Amino acid sequence: MRLTEFWQRMEHHLGSTYARSWARDQVLAELGHRTPQQALDAGVEAKAVWRAVWQALELPPSER
C-alpha cells in the first residue's frame, strides 16, 4: 500500500479534517504504543499501519 492510499482510506472513513488529527493523537498498542503518524514517521509500512487503524476503528473485513 502506498502512503497516498493510506491517507485516502483514512479520509474516507474519518473525513478529510479529522483523519490527520486522529492519526496524530490516537495511540495504538498494535503500533508499539505509537500513533499512526509516529509509526509512519518511524518507517513502519503503510499497510501495517492501516491494519492497526482498521482494527481500532472496527471496520468491516471488506475494508482491510
Side-chain angles (χ1 to χ4, degrees), residues 4-38:
T4 54
E5 183 181 353
F6 171 83
W7 287 113
Q8 287 172 345
R9 289 181 183 203
M10 290 288 290
E11 290 176 7
H12 173 76
H13 292 288
L14 296 172
S16 60
T17 304
Y18 188 53
R20 301 270 177 174
S21 174
W22 193 92
R24 284 190 311 265
D25 297 337
Q26 188 67 41
V27 175
L28 302 177
E30 295 81 9
L31 297 174
H33 299 283
R34 295 180 288 191
T35 68
Q37 185 65 62
Q38 288 170 330

Side-chain angles (χ1 to χ4, degrees), residues 32-54:
H33 299 283
R34 295 180 288 191
T35 68
Q37 185 65 62
Q38 288 170 330
L40 291 169
D41 291 345
V44 177
E45 290 185 18
K47 187 171 187 172
V49 177
W50 175 251
R51 285 183 189 155
V53 169
W54 171 83

